[in-house]
Amino acid sequence: MSATVERSLPSAAVDLLQGRSLVAGRAEGELLFADMGLSFWGGVDPFSGEVIDRHHPLSGQNLAGRVLAIPSGRGSCTGSSVMMELLSGEHAPSALVLAEVDEILTLGVLVAELLFQRSIAVLCIGHEAFAQLRGQAYARVDGERLQLYPQRPADARPTGVASLAEQRPFSTQLSLSEDDQALLDGAQGKAAQVAMQLVLRMAELQGASELLDVTQAHIDGCIYTGSASLRFAEQLVAWGASVRVPTTLNSISVDQRRWRALGIDAAFGEPASALGDAYMAMGAQLSFTCAPYLLDSAPSEGEQIVWAESNAVVYANSVLGAKTLKYPDYLDICIALTGRAPKVGCHLDEQRKAALRIELPALDGLDDAFYPLLGYHVGLLCGSRIPLICGLERAQPTLDDLKAFGAAFATSSAAPLFHIAGVTPEARDPQRVIHSGATLQTEQVSHADLRRSWDELNSAREARVGLIALGNPHFSFSEFAHLATLCAGRTRHPEVSLVITSGRAVLEQARAAGHAAVLEAFGATLLNDTCWCMLGEPVVPTNSSTLMTNSGKYAHYAPGLVGRSVHFASLAECIEAACSGQASGRLPRWLQPAFPVENPTHV
């Protein structure tokens, strides 16, 4: 969408911009601007409002009371939960100004309105107008209008979160089935009624005119971000919530069976475990995995589903060929409670086409570190555009490679889908994913480009390693088998922890095959239910300042989430470090032909 310039204002104000109000409201405050999308999960501390994404230009800034201007969100679906936590306290921005509609952040505001009667204005002004915000110091939002100032105006009265005296009246223009209307009228209880209201509000925001049936759901809202996330789930249970489609649960924030033995503080462990229980009380399955595509219930090509969790969404769309949006936390459970989803976006074939072509250089000697690194780099290039990646036609990436690519891609981009020419199902014939007659913008990726992203993920400056963090996303059976081969007959360094996260079902398979016994003999700790984006001390050793991982996703998030610098490398390099206590710093073969880069940062 685009904004319009209405008129020039007297005084110190620049032109008045008008856009689309996603959540109505008035607010003003210091303008906090960045031209890079921000994942609120892993990027913003929900209890302080500080930007903790150490790769983001706003790192270290505080959102509280400021008008935040970002092009969009990116990364995790849990951003909606973090936004709701901020709004339940005193650390939220006073308003959010976007270049494009962001469902994840907006949904967090809508849920906070419903639960806490607290809200902020959310305004979308389009990319052209958004560029005019650069260099401005102060902003006022009034419904669809945005007024900018080059310095703080004399009559400034900064605002905070708005308290609502009553709920906004609900109405919808969508075409509803008889069953939809019954749910909206409360025929199936309060929980389903409220869920349908939220589904319809988001459907209108997304531009849908009707809803469609889904066959299954995967819930990401079971991650504990604070007391507000538990209150939301328990309120649904109190209202009699019951899922209408088969529903799996994402990783929760603790290993539910072992968190006490692991030394997790009860003040965190008890509510985090209770949150998982609340979703199971609604009828969801005890799956607790961020890789639901590894379960027997994984959807088939063309199946209409509602999945949240960014890596799972990307894998489902791209590798399985199922159809889902990148659903925000809380909208996922609302759709599970109604069985109905907005008929828009990646649910529609025409919305699954590529908008950007990525050309790769000639590459040789690829290892498993290549795919997460490439996914991270491609995500940075894409923003919210769906890419078609060319140059891997003969590489034959495994499902584990595609899992790692997708997780890193979903971390650095806002897109719900990627295509790899000759590899992913819809792009086996690349012309199928290009609109007829369209000429795609092309981005050329060089070895030097990949080296820069390698240096960005390798934030550690000391060779010593205290933790090897594996399983983000959760380990597959084939990854367990490969790791057992790497560890068999070797000795772990006594000062290095090796921790692997996985789903319960996959770990049972690994135990039956003998792989788990090999890893435990090596000294590995095997955790279920939770994943690295939710783990902190003491699982992350308190005396360790660096960690090592083969996950592009965790290499990005760890510096902000746990305050550790990161060595990123292949699985084999991780085990070498687990034995020696030192990261080798060796570049993989596929990066060695790289052209020299200016001021290289990783040695």
Side-chain angles (χ1 to χ4, degrees):
M1 65 158 294
S2 61
T4 58
V5 178
E6 290 198 339
R7 59 186 173 85
S8 296
L9 297 174
S11 76
V14 301
D15 289 337
L16 183 69
L17 304 178
Q18 184 164 337
R20 177 187 175 192
S21 176
L22 305 182
V23 181
R26 292 183 176 181
E28 65 177 86
E30 177 187 349
L31 182 66
L32 187 62
F33 171 88
D35 57 7
M36 179 185 287
L38 176 64
S39 173
F40 270 46
W41 171 254
V44 178
D45 185 331
F47 307 111
S48 70
E50 180 190 346
V51 178
I52 58 171
D53 180 345
R54 301 310 175 208
H55 303 278
H56 198 275
L58 296 181
S59 177
Q61 295 283 347
N62 197 288
L63 306 185
R66 301 163 91 175
V67 176
L68 175 65
I70 52 176
S72 67
R74 65 173 183 174
S76 177
C77 302
T78 309
S80 51
S81 186
V82 173
M83 175 63 86
M84 186 184 70
E85 294 288 349
L86 291 167
L87 284 163
S88 72
E90 303 299 326
H91 303 293
S94 61
L96 181 62
V97 178
L98 302 164
E100 57 191 62
V101 173
D102 186 274
E103 293 91 349
I104 291 174
L105 298 179
T106 304
L107 193 278
V109 178
L110 296 179
V111 175
E113 282 190 353
L114 186 68
L115 254 67
F116 307 114
Q117 294 74 55
R118 292 168 67 81
S119 184
I120 59 171
V122 182
L123 178 65
C124 178
I125 62 173
H127 285 277
E128 183 178 351
F130 187 81
Q132 298 182 43
L133 275 60
R134 186 185 301 276
Q136 301 301 322
Y138 199 86
R140 285 178 170 144
V141 177
D142 184 358
E144 297 181 343
R145 301 182 177 209
L146 174 65
Q147 190 172 335
L148 302 169
Y149 299 82
Q151 61 264 333
R152 181 186 176 98
D155 61 345
R157 292 186 176 86
T159 55
V161 175
S163 296
L164 305 179
E166 58 186 28
Q167 292 293 326
R168 303 185 196 276
F170 181 82
S171 63
T172 183
Q173 300 300 313
L174 267 72
S175 174
L176 302 183
S177 69
E178 185 176 331
D179 190 43
D180 293 337
Q181 190 63 56
L183 289 168
L184 190 57
D185 292 341
Q188 300 298 320
K190 176 74 170 178
Q193 180 183 38
V194 170
M196 180 56 84
Q197 289 177 358
L198 283 169
V199 169
L200 292 171
R201 287 196 68 173
M202 290 302 294
E204 290 185 340
L205 184 149
Q206 294 165 329
S209 59
E210 59 182 319
L211 305 179
L212 55 76
D213 290 329
V214 294
T215 59
Q216 63 169 271
H218 181 69
I219 306 302
D220 192 46
C222 52
I223 296 171
Y224 182 73
T225 57
S227 59
S229 59
L230 179 58
R231 178 176 168 184
F232 173 82
E234 290 184 336
Q235 181 64 76
L236 288 179
V237 173
W239 285 339
S242 179
V243 298
R244 302 186 95 195
V245 295
T247 300
T248 53
L249 292 176
N250 197 53
S251 307
I252 58 174
S253 297
V254 291
D255 185 323
Q256 198 175 53
R257 297 174 294 186
R258 298 180 58 199
W259 63 265
R260 290 179 178 84
L262 293 167
I264 305 297
D265 189 338
F268 178 79
E270 288 179 355
S273 181
L275 183 58
D277 291 339
Y279 280 97
M280 286 190 288
M282 300 182 214
Q285 302 168 30
L286 194 166
S287 52
F288 295 157
T289 179
C290 57
Y293 40 83
L294 299 177
L295 300 173
D296 291 340
S297 56
S300 58
E301 186 171 351
E303 191 172 339
Q304 298 283 7
I305 64 174
V306 51
W307 275 16
E309 211 299 323
S310 60
N311 102 85
V313 167
V314 164
Y315 192 99
N317 275 323
S318 310
V319 182
L320 300 181
K323 297 179 177 181
T324 179
L325 304 187
K326 189 175 182 179
Y327 280 105
D329 287 15
Y330 307 137
L331 189 58
D332 50 9
I333 187 61
C334 289
I335 295 175
L337 295 175
T338 61
R340 301 280 278 166
K343 190 176 182 179
V344 72
C346 281
H347 286 297
L348 305 173
D349 289 341
E350 61 268 25
Q351 297 297 317
R352 299 172 66 86
K353 305 293 187 183
L356 178 68
R357 183 185 184 96
I358 306 290
E359 294 280 0
L360 303 183
L363 296 158
D364 187 32
L366 300 183
D367 63 9
D368 58 276
F370 168 73
Y371 289 97
L373 188 280
L374 180 65
Y376 183 77
H377 184 80
V378 169
L380 292 172
L381 296 176
C382 289
S384 59
R385 296 174 295 178
I386 295 171
L388 170 63
I389 299 113
C390 300
L392 295 175
E393 290 83 351
R394 299 183 180 180
Q396 297 182 320
T398 67
L399 292 179
D400 290 330
D401 292 332
L402 295 174
K403 173 166 77 84
F405 177 99
F409 171 82
T411 298
S412 56
S413 81
L417 169 65
F418 63 83
H419 300 293
I420 301 179
V423 175
T424 53
E426 292 168 74
R428 292 192 181 104
D429 174 4
Q431 292 305 312
R432 288 182 55 202
V433 299
I434 301 174
H435 284 288
S436 178
T439 301
L440 296 182
Q441 177 187 343
T442 298
E443 292 276 359
Q444 299 284 344
V445 175
S446 68
H447 289 93
D449 294 330
L450 295 176
R451 174 63 190 274
R452 290 187 186 95
S453 286
W454 178 270
D455 291 338
E456 184 172 337
L457 291 183
N458 277 281
S459 57
R461 295 295 173 266
E462 61 173 300
R464 187 170 65 90
V465 175
L467 168 68
I468 309 295
L470 304 176
N472 188 347
H474 276 168
F475 245 36
S476 67
F477 177 80
S478 54
E479 286 176 303
F480 269 117
H482 181 38
L483 185 61
T485 300
L486 292 173
C487 293
R490 305 184 72 180
T491 302
R492 178 180 58 87
H493 192 284
E495 295 181 3
V496 179
S497 297
L498 171 61
V499 183
I500 306 154
T501 61
S502 71
R504 296 187 186 188
V506 170
L507 181 57
E508 288 173 5
Q509 294 170 3
R511 288 202 181 282
H515 304 320
V518 172
L519 297 174
E520 288 172 332
F522 181 76
T525 299
L526 308 180
L527 297 185
N528 289 150
D529 302 349
T530 189
C531 195
W532 284 105
C533 287
M534 287 78 83
L535 286 167
E537 296 178 356
V539 175
V540 176
T542 56
N543 62 349
S544 172
S545 60
T546 63
L547 61 85
M548 192 170 190
T549 185
N550 68 338
S551 166
K553 178 177 181 176
Y554 194 52
H556 173 84
Y557 282 131
L561 287 174
V562 296
R564 301 321 195 259
S565 58
V566 176
H567 293 285
F568 166 74
S570 68
L571 191 60
E573 284 285 334
C574 287
I575 298 310
E576 291 297 322
C579 294
S580 68
Q582 304 275 318
S584 72
R586 285 187 294 261
L587 287 175
R589 180 180 171 186
W590 47 270
L591 264 187
Q592 290 174 12
F595 303 110
V597 296
E598 295 180 5
N599 302 318
T601 56
H602 182 65
V603 179

